Amino acid sequence: MDVRSQIAMVFHLDKCIGCHTCSIACKNIWTDRKGAEYMWWNNVETKPGTGYPTKWEDQDIYKGGWRKNGGEKISLRGSGKYKGLLNIFHNPYLPVLDDYYEPWTYKYLDLIESPAGGDQPTARPVSLVTGKPIDIKSGPNWDDDLSGTPEYARQDPNLKNLTKAEREAMFQLEKMAMFYLPRICNHCLNPACVASCPSGAIYKRGEDGVVLINQKVCRAWRMCVTACPYKKSYYNWNTGKSEKCILCYPRLEAGHAPACMHSCVGRIRYLGVLLYDADKIEAAASVPEEQLIDGQLDLLLNPFDEDVIRNAKENGIADSTLKAAQTSPVYKFVKEWGLALPLHAEYRTLPMLFYVPPMLPVMASLSTTDDSEQAVKLDPIAKFWDKHHRYDTTSKTIMQTVEQARFPVKYMANLFGTGSEEKLIEVLKKQLAVRVHRRHVTVGDIDADLTNATLNEVKLTPEIADDIYRLTSLAKFDDRFNIPPAHRELAIEMMDFAGDTKGSTGFGFKETPQRGL
Amino acid sequence: MNAYNVIFFVALPYAALLMFLVGTIYRYKATKFKFSSLSSQFLETRKLYWGSVPFHWGILFLFFGHLTAFLLPSSILAWNQQPVRLMILEVSAFAGGVVTLFGLIGLFYRRLVDARLRKVTSIIDIVLEALLITEIFLGLWIAFGFRWGSSWFATVLSPYLKSIFTFSPNIDAVVMLPFVIQLHIILAFIIFLIIPFTRLVHVLVYPLSYLWRPYQKVIWYWDRKKVRDPQTSWTMHKPQNN
Ligand code: HEM
Ligand code: SF4
Ligand code: SF4
């Protein structure tokens, strides 16, 4: 057993309101620079939709991630030792600027400085690359809230194995739904970006698992951009170096939450330590597709287990980190409660960002013919759209509603279940059971027997259901972010004479990061 | 032996060599961030394909051809003993030159016409590509007009280059060469001389070690097996992070 620690994350999608505050927080701190304007290390997508860069999930185009071809072993789909070095002069799978969007600003000064005349002055958009006026063709979140549209929602690569009828059903006006998918680098356990970098510039930090690109070693071979199936490694066209989310490690080291998480308005984000067994990484990434999620969850170790603790200490993991692992909200969501799933586990990078799948698009309506009983009790305007579709979770057939979802579970399973609906249904049912339980406690219109039966079916106790409810709905800042001390003092003293770093921020460049000749 | 010959065929090669060594090492040590191929594929990919791929495969072929002729002249001479083999070598080298030139002109054109690319094109890029185009054009001219280059390179130029590298310069043979060939040689030295000031440094950091390193890479700030051990934790070596 080779115990390592990882700062992992959970995003609770039911709580995301799609406000993009996270993206802005990140942009203002890290990517508001020449060459990085188009980068959104944190972005929020509307699903169904094509995302950013356009159709990033379609690996037939971008060739990201690992693939299992025939044998036991996995290999990088579009890069790797031989493919990468052969395609080094021109990478055929590289997404280009237009796959993201051309960044622009407006000539605001024209508004003020134009001479008086017959017309209102306008601020024309100008490209941030060329400085010339452009016609804006797309932008970040161009497909925001555009569920149902032919150009965006219906081009979603996750619809690939849905039948035509299923797709049509999804986009009927009265059924149409959407949800938000905030994405950052997953700081994977089997990162494709690291594996694809010919220079060896990308590495995973042993202490906390943050994946970083050493800017001094990157040589613009641009293979990581292709290799990352989530398209979370970006090429800076100005400096000639690739960049990616750094999980705000300077903040983490100082005990602060990453900026996107700190600013999250919906409070959907959780961050904490997971312990995992590094010996099993390769095996877990190589299992058949249906076993990938279980394989990944098996890697995660129980931080209370004595054996694990002993091994962790031998591997130099600090007591404070072990403590954080035992109180980690991520461990609760992912392992204890089994409520959070990785996004696109089939890319085999073992992402360390987990998502609690959203219930709203799934549960928001169900058709029924017999609603007379409800109709007497409930306000018809609030509860009914028409007699066939109603928003209701109090019926006797609570659990079946998952299968009768407004979105086919199949679609959600393509995102979070490597295509199998089973896992997804289980998670949704658990979430639903918690709601039933809380409704029983707070409103009281569901009787105790039905509540207990519902909880039993998904193997939850009322206590656990309350815990889930509390961490989901009431959690305060310190409950959501459980950040172990980074022991940066040790790190710095190992590296340098501590006096040298006195008064400095402890990270960054001594050399001006200027474009090469 | 007049002064110009000494300047161009003795002083220039040593200046180039010195500048190349000192310049690249200094640049690598002092401004590592600037070591990059400065790929522009992100801004324009289609024309790059038609330029970069033929250019690079071609120039590598030509480079290794010249290297072989310099290091192992006898092998080239032995190969050339049969006219058929000589023809094969000459024709493929010439074709290689044409492919390289085609790609390079494509790259040059691409940099001039694309508005986005102009933003990432420096003067030195233009100078370098113009020099390379001239050099390859001269090379083709020589291959076409002064046959058979592969043979006389081995007998005339290899000894000259060797004399340079062994610090006993002998320029008797080169001064007799036609002007076109002399210009080709002089330009080659100039290109070497400016390597530290151009993006050509990317050739020196070719990531060959990728072939034998493990795919995954994890770095610890400290030796994790020792960090919790009070006996050893303060005596370890400085880790290689940057
Ligand atoms: C050793 C193997 C080499 C590798 C792996 C390599 C790789 C690259 C890469 C990745 C680029 C950037 C292409 C892009 O824009 O995406 C590039 C550009 C370039 N390389 Fe190389 N190169 C090699 C050898 C050479 C040699 C031997 C020369 C010339 C003597 C050369 C001259 C150039 C030039 C002039 C450019 C700029 C092209 C342009 O964008 O206009 N390279 N190279
Ligand atoms: S999400 Fe992409 S960039 Fe981030 S660690 Fe995984 S492979 Fe690398
Ligand atoms: S800040 Fe939070 S709620 Fe708002 S879009 Fe981002 S993840 Fe969603």
Side-chain angles (χ1 to χ4, degrees):
Chain A
M1 195 180 335
D2 181 3
V3 182
R4 291 185 195 165
S5 100
Q6 167 81 38
I7 302 277
M9 302 150 273
V10 165
F11 289 5
H12 198 307
L13 294 185
D14 244 352
K15 299 173 71 184
C16 180
I17 56 175
C19 62
H20 303 280
T21 310
C22 44
S23 308
I24 298 299
C26 177
K27 164 106 335 216
N28 281 340
I29 297 184
W30 299 120
T31 58
D32 195 8
R33 288 169 287 127
K34 185 174 173 197
E37 302 97 340
Y38 83 95
M39 295 181 198
W40 293 87
W41 293 354
N42 180 111
N43 75 307
V44 184
E45 284 164 19
T46 300
K47 284 281 159 193
T50 44
Y52 157 90
T54 309
K55 290 180 136 188
W56 61 273
E57 288 153 299
D58 191 342
Q59 304 307 347
D60 291 337
I61 303 176
Y62 293 117
K63 307 276 182 196
W66 301 85
R67 173 176 63 178
K68 190 168 164 133
N69 25 5
E72 287 297 295
K73 290 239 180 287
I74 54 171
S75 61
L76 289 167
R77 198 180 264 110
S79 44
K81 294 191 176 176
Y82 309 108
K83 258 176 273 177
L85 289 185
L86 281 177
N87 286 335
I88 202 163
F89 307 127
H90 177 270
N91 175 358
Y93 315 120
L94 186 79
V96 295
L97 187 65
D98 301 301
D99 291 319
Y100 301 83
Y101 69 97
E102 181 161 355
W104 73 89
T105 182
Y106 294 93
K107 290 177 96 174
Y108 294 108
L109 268 186
D110 286 1
L111 296 180
I112 302 165
E113 293 183 346
S114 313
D119 305 313
Q120 280 275 26
T122 53
R124 288 182 74 185
V126 287
S127 162
L128 280 172
V129 181
T130 62
K132 301 218 170 69
I134 55 167
D135 288 328
I136 299 167
K137 297 207 186 68
S138 72
N141 301 305
W142 214 238
D143 60 346
D144 210 23
D145 297 353
L146 290 183
S147 186
T149 47
E151 304 82 23
Y152 302 109
R154 291 175 202 225
Q155 302 294 326
D156 186 326
N158 297 297
L159 298 169
K160 61 181 184 298
N161 60 351
L162 269 66
T163 62
K164 198 151 185 278
E166 280 170 327
R167 292 184 200 198
E168 285 314 312
M170 260 175 96
F171 298 121
Q172 274 170 21
L173 202 53
E174 60 278 10
K175 280 198 141 195
M176 194 128 67
M178 66 193 182
F179 65 97
Y180 299 107
L181 181 68
R183 305 199 297 121
I184 67 172
C185 164
N186 300 288
H187 298 277
C188 310
L189 292 188
N190 187 31
C193 56
V194 176
S196 73
C197 176
S199 315
I202 315 184
Y203 62 99
K204 195 170 175 68
R205 294 213 299 192
E207 289 76 22
D208 53 11
V210 176
V211 176
L212 297 173
I213 301 178
N214 186 334
Q215 294 287 299
K216 286 188 187 162
V217 182
C218 171
R219 311 270 181 242
W221 307 128
R222 66 234 173 296
M223 288 299 154
C224 56
V225 184
T226 291
C228 173
Y230 302 93
K231 290 290 163 280
K232 282 293 166 191
S233 179
Y234 300 88
Y235 180 69
N236 182 319
W237 54 265
N238 177 44
T239 58
K241 306 275 164 169
S242 293
E243 301 178 7
K244 63 179 283 301
C245 158
I246 58 175
L247 202 60
C248 287
Y249 74 84
R251 291 174 61 94
L252 277 183
E253 287 175 6
H256 298 300
C260 59
M261 312 208 180
H262 195 136
S263 64
C264 178
V265 175
R267 303 183 177 189
I268 79 156
R269 300 181 176 213
Y270 301 81
L271 177 131
V273 173
L274 288 180
L275 299 180
Y276 66 98
D277 184 357
D279 283 338
K280 291 201 203 141
I281 291 178
E282 206 179 331
S286 313
V287 296
E289 195 158 303
E290 354 29 287
Q291 299 164 22
L292 272 170
I293 294 178
D294 288 326
Q296 180 171 350
L297 296 184
D298 277 351
L299 277 179
L300 309 177
L301 300 168
N302 179 353
F304 299 98
D305 184 297
E306 303 222 322
D307 224 28
V308 171
I309 294 175
R310 192 172 38 77
N311 274 293
K313 286 185 175 173
E314 273 168 24
N315 271 355
I317 296 178
D319 285 346
S320 51
T321 308
L322 287 173
K323 182 97 202 310
Q326 290 171 342
T327 50
S328 162
V330 177
Y331 185 75
K332 290 206 178 82
F333 271 114
V334 176
K335 277 289 267 197
E336 271 182 42
W337 302 334
L339 276 175
L341 298 169
L343 174 66
H344 288 304
E346 69 274 18
Y347 300 156
R348 297 177 186 272
T349 62
L350 306 177
M352 282 292 115
L353 161 55
F354 300 85
Y355 291 90
V356 179
M359 294 230 293
L360 276 172
V362 179
M363 298 304 305
S365 86
L366 84 128
S367 39
T368 173
T369 40
D370 178 24
D371 49 9
S372 48
E373 196 187 319
Q374 302 296 328
V376 197
K377 272 203 294 195
L378 302 168
D379 172 6
I381 293 168
K383 293 287 174 179
F384 296 87
W385 282 297
D386 63 35
K387 68 180 191 298
H388 297 300
H389 300 285
R390 67 178 190 198
Y391 183 80
D392 177 18
T393 53
T394 63
S395 79
K396 292 225 158 39
T397 55
I398 285 165
M399 287 309 189
Q400 275 163 34
T401 55
V402 173
E403 281 91 344
Q404 297 164 354
R406 180 164 158 188
F407 260 19
V409 176
K410 206 189 224 175
Y411 172 78
M412 307 295 286
N414 284 342
L415 282 156
F416 303 108
T418 63
S420 103
E421 292 165 41
E422 219 174 290
K423 274 252 137 33
L424 220 85
I425 291 176
E426 188 188 319
V427 171
L428 292 173
K429 281 187 172 175
K430 276 186 191 164
Q431 282 181 267
L432 190 56
V434 174
R435 284 196 189 181
V436 170
H437 166 72
R438 289 306 303 172
R439 177 132 181 174
H440 164 70
V441 174
T442 53
V443 183
D445 63 346
I446 303 180
D447 66 51
D449 288 344
L450 181 59
T451 308
N452 284 335
T454 317
L455 286 175
N456 278 339
E457 193 185 328
V458 292
K459 303 196 183 65
L460 290 180
T461 63
E463 292 73 40
I464 297 180
D466 280 333
D467 281 350
I468 295 175
Y469 157 71
R470 236 173 273 125
L471 197 56
T472 303
S473 307
L474 307 177
K476 295 283 183 288
F477 195 88
D478 291 339
D479 305 320
R480 284 179 278 131
F481 308 112
N482 194 331
I483 303 162
H487 298 289
R488 187 158 62 159
E489 69 290 358
L490 271 181
I492 286 177
E493 278 168 41
M494 287 296 104
M495 303 267 288
D496 289 306
F497 168 55
D500 287 346
T501 31
K502 204 170 171 184
S504 81
T505 44
F507 67 96
F509 283 76
K510 287 181 188 149
E511 176 194 343
T512 329
Q514 211 172 41
R515 180 181 166 87
L517 295 161
Chain B
M1 200 160 43
N2 66 31
Y4 287 114
N5 285 335
V6 176
I7 289 175
F8 285 123
F9 298 112
V10 183
L12 182 62
Y14 285 116
L17 206 63
L18 191 72
M19 187 54 99
F20 170 70
L21 286 176
V22 175
T24 49
I25 293 173
Y26 173 77
R27 191 172 157 193
Y28 189 78
K29 293 268 177 212
T31 58
K32 228 176 159 188
F33 184 79
K34 292 187 182 174
F35 259 69
S36 165
S37 73
L38 296 176
S39 166
S40 55
Q41 190 184 352
F42 183 72
L43 299 177
E44 198 288 323
T45 182
R46 224 172 51 88
K47 289 201 274 295
L48 181 78
Y49 174 80
W50 291 104
S52 182
V53 175
F55 166 69
H56 275 99
W57 288 114
I59 194 106
L60 287 179
F61 176 67
L62 296 180
F63 176 78
F64 282 107
H66 282 63
L67 197 68
T68 320
F70 164 50
L71 292 177
L72 306 163
S74 51
S75 70
I76 301 283
L77 289 177
W79 170 273
N80 281 352
Q81 264 164 7
Q82 280 180 27
V84 187
R85 298 203 299 212
L86 173 80
M87 284 310 287
I88 294 176
L89 181 63
E90 285 285 338
V91 168
S92 52
F94 193 81
V98 171
V99 168
T100 315
L101 192 63
F102 166 79
L104 189 52
I105 290 175
L107 286 173
F108 196 61
Y109 168 76
R110 165 180 177 270
R111 286 209 168 256
L112 294 181
V113 297
D114 193 296
R116 286 181 186 168
L117 287 177
R118 275 211 295 277
K119 289 287 158 187
V120 290
T121 302
S122 61
I123 292 171
I124 197 76
D125 284 334
I126 300 286
V127 171
L128 174 68
E129 288 187 3
L131 275 179
L132 284 171
I133 288 177
T134 319
E135 180 72 348
I136 296 164
F137 175 74
L138 288 176
L140 286 172
W141 181 349
I142 293 165
F144 190 73
F146 302 87
R147 288 170 217 167
W148 300 101
S150 59
S151 287
W152 59 251
F153 187 107
T155 47
V156 179
L157 279 181
S158 296
Y160 161 63
L161 287 175
K162 205 163 144 199
S163 75
I164 295 286
F165 278 100
T166 51
F167 298 103
S168 49
N170 178 350
I171 59 171
D172 296 346
V174 274
V175 297
M176 313 292 284
L177 288 170
F179 179 65
V180 184
I181 303 181
Q182 287 184 337
L183 198 59
H184 187 73
I185 299 171
I186 293 168
L187 269 188
F189 290 142
I190 291 178
I191 291 172
F192 257 89
L193 186 115
I194 62 168
I195 284 180
F197 310 101
T198 67
R199 68 163 74 214
L200 278 189
V201 291
H202 75 274
V203 187
L204 305 172
V205 287
Y206 181 76
L208 203 60
S209 60
Y210 186 39
L211 287 174
W212 51 82
R213 81 148 215 257
Y215 269 128
Q216 294 301 352
K217 180 166 174 181
V218 182
I219 296 181
W220 276 266
Y221 269 140
W222 55 74
D223 184 335
R224 61 193 176 123
K225 294 289 178 194
K226 290 185 185 158
V227 69
R228 288 191 62 134
D229 176 356
Q231 298 297 309
T232 54
S233 61
W234 301 105
T235 56
M236 64 201 66
H237 64 280
K238 192 171 162 173
Q240 290 286 309
N241 265 1
N242 281 296

